[in-house]
Amino acid sequence: MSAADARPQPPVAEAIRADVARALAEDIGPGDVTAALIDPAARARARIVSREAAVLAGSPWAEACFRQLDPQVRIAWHRHDGDAIAADEVVCELAGNARALVAGERNALNFLQTLSGTATVTRSYVDAVAGTRARILDTRKTIPGLRLAQKYAVRCGGGHNHRMGLYDAILIKENHAVAAGGIGPAIRAARAASPGVFLDCEVESLDELREAIDAGADRVLLDEFSDAQLREAVALAAGRVPLEVSGSVNLEHVRQIAQTGVDCISIGALTKHVHAVDLSMRFEDA
Amino acid sequence: MSAADARPQPPVAEAIRADVARALAEDIGPGDVTAALIDPAARARARIVSREAAVLAGSPWAEACFRQLDPQVRIAWHRHDGDAIAADEVVCELAGNARALVAGERNALNFLQTLSGTATVTRSYVDAVAGTRARILDTRKTIPGLRLAQKYAVRCGGGHNHRMGLYDAILIKENHAVAAGGIGPAIRAARAASPGVFLDCEVESLDELREAIDAGADRVLLDEFSDAQLREAVALAAGRVPLEVSGSVNLEHVRQIAQTGVDCISIGALTKHVHAVDLSMRFEDA
Amino acid sequence: MSAADARPQPPVAEAIRADVARALAEDIGPGDVTAALIDPAARARARIVSREAAVLAGSPWAEACFRQLDPQVRIAWHRHDGDAIAADEVVCELAGNARALVAGERNALNFLQTLSGTATVTRSYVDAVAGTRARILDTRKTIPGLRLAQKYAVRCGGGHNHRMGLYDAILIKENHAVAAGGIGPAIRAARAASPGVFLDCEVESLDELREAIDAGADRVLLDEFSDAQLREAVALAAGRVPLEVSGSVNLEHVRQIAQTGVDCISIGALTKHVHAVDLSMRFEDA
Amino acid sequence: MSAADARPQPPVAEAIRADVARALAEDIGPGDVTAALIDPAARARARIVSREAAVLAGSPWAEACFRQLDPQVRIAWHRHDGDAIAADEVVCELAGNARALVAGERNALNFLQTLSGTATVTRSYVDAVAGTRARILDTRKTIPGLRLAQKYAVRCGGGHNHRMGLYDAILIKENHAVAAGGIGPAIRAARAASPGVFLDCEVESLDELREAIDAGADRVLLDEFSDAQLREAVALAAGRVPLEVSGSVNLEHVRQIAQTGVDCISIGALTKHVHAVDLSMRFEDA
Amino acid sequence: MSAADARPQPPVAEAIRADVARALAEDIGPGDVTAALIDPAARARARIVSREAAVLAGSPWAEACFRQLDPQVRIAWHRHDGDAIAADEVVCELAGNARALVAGERNALNFLQTLSGTATVTRSYVDAVAGTRARILDTRKTIPGLRLAQKYAVRCGGGHNHRMGLYDAILIKENHAVAAGGIGPAIRAARAASPGVFLDCEVESLDELREAIDAGADRVLLDEFSDAQLREAVALAAGRVPLEVSGSVNLEHVRQIAQTGVDCISIGALTKHVHAVDLSMRFEDA
Amino acid sequence: MSAADARPQPPVAEAIRADVARALAEDIGPGDVTAALIDPAARARARIVSREAAVLAGSPWAEACFRQLDPQVRIAWHRHDGDAIAADEVVCELAGNARALVAGERNALNFLQTLSGTATVTRSYVDAVAGTRARILDTRKTIPGLRLAQKYAVRCGGGHNHRMGLYDAILIKENHAVAAGGIGPAIRAARAASPGVFLDCEVESLDELREAIDAGADRVLLDEFSDAQLREAVALAAGRVPLEVSGSVNLEHVRQIAQTGVDCISIGALTKHVHAVDLSMRFEDA
């Protein structure tokens, strides 16, 4: 086993298979009523082409769309997930059963355009903070049913994943702190209940930040801090714990935030909005 | 049985249940590791509030999120799917098990913000063509796994649904016509193969339009026609068959297209992009 | 992509896979308790033979039965779905793991005998109306859980499919017309609600037929019309809309109905009754 | 716990629920496109009525069809599974959401007509052998996906179930006996492999019958014996083991077979053919 | 088809596939967060080695763990299910994608260690009664969700299976006999209700044993009989029906029980306790 | 919302429902063939009683077993999960449909006996280290398919959960460190790839421990350290990072390990072995 490369790791094959089976079921259901016009034995060749610059993401889902319809389909990927692609680039070439390619087309493009959209917007934020220590994180504000795929797309764009869900990291918010009698007690109670779980804690002031650091949070989320307050927080933390910024962050403002010295900036817009990338599939003349 | 009202009909309960179960599974999975801070017997009250003007959609999914976590939860909806809501309006009030409300919050909001986003953008197109005969239609360019929900959101916004998928209407595109030896033969072959299925046919010229009408298409899709060509097409069709416009349509241009007299304008942007509406859930002090 | 051939298109592979997995589960469950008598490594050869004349349907399901039990099984089909087969014809030859062939036998035959039964009765109706313009249609009166398969078998027999279910075509019945305030209002309301959906409307008199045609139905279903009334209806419609006959139709009477000039005759008996075709699987001596 | 009554026991609720969910999914799928004509809040009353004499079976499935669409539906059953019903009898009365009753109608009737068909034909065979010791058994020749339901319908008709599948009883056929080196060795090997499993053995002669009895079969299946041979077999067995007749059995001949003194007659026709009973659902005027 | 060998037959592939998919889902879920350290294209070789003497069981599940993660994995089994293995024996060798082997390791070992544990303890009981006529049977006291796999492991250890569940054999217990008005009436009623099902009956005295034999039970279960009573029971039964011992049976006492001449001894401890066998997977240096 | 209590939180209801549905399916399948002896309308009362001292776990699963068979069943729990119970204590009382109680009995007991077994052994380890700072952790060595339930049982016994699976915490083992070029590089690469994930690192020497601490591991797992080495490690770590002991740990030795001052002791035996607790369900006379 040699050292790993930098490509983001997609979810396990079974999860991709299930995503694709669900998409095909909702699109094809009892069968393609227009397919009768195509010889069931006909073969076709096609290519998927970008119509605008983007960061590619979603190729395992696109490939599975075609493969579930034609297990013998051949797909050559010219560009890979995480690659920046220009307008009019050939993303991949396909050859296989004509009905399968026609029926799979829209489904494959739906995955590619959605996930590349997420990767592309993520990359724009990642580029905006280049040279700072800040990492771009996603959130749990995702399209229902597509979380694993969107979180993978964020990685394709160079972002990092916040927790996958409620199960894999503790995030103490105001409600929790109130219920537990304060930030310190909340952190200690949560740590005691789940000793091997990453613990993030939301704070609204420098005093709360101090309390969270003292109680041993693994990361502290600064909620609605001004840039000046962020700089104070960075000084106060002094590297003892990573600091995360949340709240209203946009592409214009993100670099300024990053330059305060915070470690992570989490951005709901990466995954709650989708700006689909324009891709098309072109069939070759037979 | 009395006549129906105007409210859009959501998908069958089982489909909503499955969408929600999948969302909860990907978010909560083995359990909420922060929930240990909340007394399992504690009860809470909360309200969902809009933070911007929008058209509401998704309430059956949001309700199911809470109900799957606490079957006894009480939810009073003050605004209904399809309603225009202003900023700071209370959408609904909830009372139930505190852990269930906290765990369900993000999941419910993810459904509401995504689907209300679709309803809202649809409404803006519908409003833009008000007073013309043109209906706004969606497409198959949807977020994988969310098609039924998105198509319902389009109806909440006042739009109409194009076919659900490949199974419930014939749409003859250029590839099909080439394979069948022309538009007329393609329409006749498809009609013969599936006599009780709505038949839409894409054409690229007035000659093809004439051929499609003669062959008895139920609707004709005019692909990349200029406004002048659209007017000619309307004159040529003379009401014998509904005409649909597709291609590059945006909010600025849509009214001009509608004023050519076409019957339907199908817009991929309704469902391939998502601009999540800003909603929040606020807990009342115990 | 070349033009399509006449063979009926089976449902997507995933639907067939699921049908077969369910059948194997209900038959084999925890395991074949008699299989202990057969060497797990033994191989066998067999053939499936018809014992009566029939129209073949169901081969993709039969093949999947064996393949799910032995992925390496080899099957050579001598006759194809839609073919008329005589008594004592060899339908296919199989070679594979002996336990898999023995366990799969009854399951494969159950699919073939059921679906070929449907194709065979359909063919008898299709043949009875040969030379007329009438097409034979199925209905929603199907064996629960087997609709896609039965609808495919109808196509194998030369029939055509009425709507797959409640989702892919509008069918306005008396209850709907009453709720909407008449046939005309019902058609217009349904069309407005779902503009791109095929619209069938049931009528009980010539006046209602006229109303349905004027309101723009895509097809009109004539309920319990006498042959004389059917001829009047054909004259009245004058080709403006296809006419469908429903109600009590049997093989003796069907040609007479067809000769009235109607376009479609829908027959519940095709799929609500099943007359299984007699097929057997014969093992070769090792 | 008091002694059991004679009503046949339906499968576990979960199995019925799954059968019904599959049926509703294939019929309603993304939604009833005609339902827009019915007020979503409207309520309706209806009754299910027989149009011919029959034996009723399938009420738990029919009830589940309506209940999955409207959990508050009220259903009063006037006749129960296993009851003989006359033409024009009211089977049940329903009150509930109008859309749910309309959408559930065909699905509920499909279950009732299919399963009552099986119960009715079974009853005719049971009646034909009344007064003899012979029981009527079903086989594994069933409609794929509906085995548990059909086997229950057989019990509703007064028949008994042969094994459910390959898993719950040993049935040694000719192939097995050949592989094991004879009927005696096959029985002993199967018994040794699965000591607590009912063991049925097929024989083709009196010698084989003797061998099967000596080896301790729990029941012996006499394959294609003439009536005279059956009488000899009954004499030979002398009550030591139950005898089962299989092969070509029809309603005309079955009593004669029963009078030879055999214990069981298994009949594929009970479940491989379906003669749907004519039932209808009538809505009351609102 | 030649005669069967002695190897136990595993459940159908689909059941194994489902067991493994569930295990991988609960372990890997959204993805292995440590896998980023391993090159996704790296290949690895490994071997599974026993660390203690045991009877092997579970290889089809272990193999499926790796194959679901890497369909091209190569696995050479040196020892087979049912084989006695010594400490430090190589059970199998593997070569495949490094991430797949690392992620599959624990899951494969969990199946092997659990099921080999069951096979090993079963073998110790089987060996303890060697030379007597007694067979060792399992019970329905199993780990939820693992019954088929555990019952297979019992067969690997040389034991036999009692009924799989409530569906494949009748077992009349005290409650049933009371409800039916005695052991004889209960047996006759159960036999009449389900004529082709193996019938076991629990008795608590010699009188009840006599009643059960007279009523025709296929096997009688002697509940909490002393060894002396067992010998009386064996004499009374005189080979007319197999006798089964249940109740408190341990490894020290089992041979003494077997020597009373009973036919079967059923032991809950085989499957309700699990003593995992110590196995490890060792990676070869790259 | 008030502060949480100490009771362990069970998995989400859907996960429990699925566990129970699977168990009932494998036990009851097509139906309880002995149930015919019990009147379907009969009601029964019963109680579940412990036959040995134990720690209770699994009540939500047991309750779901009965509720899936009889939604109206009434269950009063006298003892709760996490409670120490003595021999002959009444755990709960039940009243409901007699067939449902009889069919659910074994399934409910199988969950309770398995999970209480895990809670009981966990409690013995927790008690053994009482007064030290050491927490008892579980591992990924679990019964396939039962991980969430077993991890919950560990919490009922007073233990804490190590990671749920490969997805919710990084654990760098020797293979990973070799692939990444050492422990320090491995930690830094893993942290960079997944910044918000708890990071555990296995070390085999004090030098490696130092390297892991310097690289910022969240916890360090000391593999096969002697007690003397553990004390050195505790001194070296000096509270900067929690230390975890793994390897061969048994009940005799565990206190001695805890007294070295380590923070966590992870024990595979908690979940890979199962010693089922002896519980029984007793029916009251009607």
Side-chain angles (χ1 to χ4, degrees), chain D residues 265-282:
Chain D
I265 305 173
S266 58
I267 302 173
L270 299 187
T271 51
K272 74 176 188 177
H273 303 316
V274 172
H275 188 85
V277 167
D278 199 358
L279 294 155
S280 72
M281 182 159 142
R282 297 183 191 151

Side-chain angles (χ1 to χ4, degrees), chain F residues 7 20 29-30 46 57 68 83-84 86 93 113 121 127-128 130 136 164 172 181 214 216 222 227 229 236 255 282:
Chain F
R7 290 222 176 274
V20 166
Q68 287 191 16
D83 287 354
E93 290 183 292
Q113 72 192 14
V121 68
D127 288 348
I136 299 299
M164 281 291 152
I172 296 173
D214 290 348
L222 310 169
D227 291 3
Q229 289 171 310
L236 190 158
R255 184 164 188 84
R282 295 182 192 153

Side-chain angles (χ1 to χ4, degrees), chain F residues 11 24 27 38 70 125 129 146 201 203 223 237 263 274 280:
Chain F
L24 293 181
D27 189 48
I38 302 171
D70 174 9
Y125 278 95
V129 303
L146 218 56
C201 180
V203 302
D223 187 44
D263 301 271
V274 173
S280 72

Side-chain angles (χ1 to χ4, degrees), chain F residues 44-70:
Chain F
R45 304 179 66 87
R47 48 186 59 191
I48 294 179
V49 180
S50 58
R51 296 208 277 214
E52 59 179 319
V55 175
L56 187 67
S59 59
W61 286 262
E63 181 151 345
C65 286
F66 294 111
R67 204 162 297 287
Q68 287 191 16
L69 295 170
D70 174 9

Side-chain angles (χ1 to χ4, degrees), chain C residues 43-73:
Chain C
R43 300 189 59 73
R45 304 178 67 85
R47 49 186 60 191
I48 294 180
V49 180
S50 58
R51 297 209 276 214
E52 58 179 321
V55 174
L56 187 67
S59 59
W61 286 262
E63 180 149 346
C65 286
F66 294 111
R67 204 163 299 287
Q68 286 192 16
L69 295 170
D70 173 10
Q72 268 74 51
V73 73

Side-chain angles (χ1 to χ4, degrees), chain B residues 55-125:
Chain B
V55 175
L56 187 67
S59 59
W61 285 263
E63 180 150 345
C65 286
F66 294 110
R67 205 164 296 288
Q68 287 192 15
L69 295 170
D70 173 9
Q72 267 75 51
V73 74
R74 282 181 295 116
I75 310 185
W77 291 93
H78 296 273
R79 309 298 281 154
H80 298 282
D81 282 10
D83 287 353
I85 52 175
D88 296 317
E89 267 197 80
V90 174
V91 171
C92 67
E93 291 183 291
L94 304 111
N97 176 276
R99 284 185 174 180
L101 293 196
V102 168
E105 172 184 5
R106 175 52 32 218
N107 292 288
L109 291 178
N110 284 352
F111 277 109
L112 283 178
Q113 72 192 13
T114 302
L115 298 177
S116 298
T118 298
T120 304
V121 70
T122 301
R123 183 67 54 89
S124 67
Y125 279 95

Side-chain angles (χ1 to χ4, degrees), chain E residues 19 22-23 25-39 51 102-107 110-111 113-114 140-148 163-173 175-177 179-180 185-187 189-190 193-194 197-198 272-278 283, chain F residues 19 22-23 25-39 51 102-107 110-111 113-114 140-148 163-173 175-177 179-180 185-187 189-190 193-194 197-198 272-278 283:
Chain E
D19 283 350
R22 192 161 59 241
E26 72 182 9
D27 189 49
I28 306 184
D32 177 356
V33 287
T34 317
L37 298 175
I38 302 171
D39 182 343
R51 297 208 277 215
V102 168
E105 170 184 8
R106 174 54 33 217
N107 292 289
N110 283 354
F111 277 109
Q113 73 192 13
T114 303
R140 288 170 54 235
K141 296 181 181 176
T142 56
I143 304 293
L146 218 56
R147 184 167 294 172
L148 291 189
R163 59 179 179 169
M164 281 292 154
L166 294 173
Y167 58 87
D168 64 335
I170 296 161
L171 175 48
I172 296 173
K173 298 192 182 182
N175 285 329
H176 299 107
I187 291 175
S194 305
V197 178
F198 192 86
K272 75 176 188 178
H273 304 314
V274 172
H275 188 84
V277 167
D278 199 358
F283 285 83
Chain F
D19 284 351
R22 192 162 58 239
E26 72 182 9
D27 189 48
I28 305 185
D32 177 356
V33 287
T34 316
L37 297 176
I38 302 171
D39 183 342
R51 296 208 277 214
V102 168
E105 171 184 6
R106 175 53 32 218
N107 292 289
N110 284 352
F111 276 109
Q113 72 192 14
T114 302
R140 287 170 54 236
K141 297 180 180 176
T142 56
I143 304 293
L146 218 56
R147 184 167 294 174
L148 291 189
R163 58 180 178 170
M164 281 291 152
L166 294 172
Y167 57 88
D168 64 336
I170 296 162
L171 175 48
I172 296 173
K173 299 192 182 182
N175 285 330
H176 299 107
I187 290 175
S194 304
V197 177
F198 192 88
K272 74 176 188 177
H273 304 314
V274 173
H275 188 84
V277 167
D278 199 358
F283 285 83

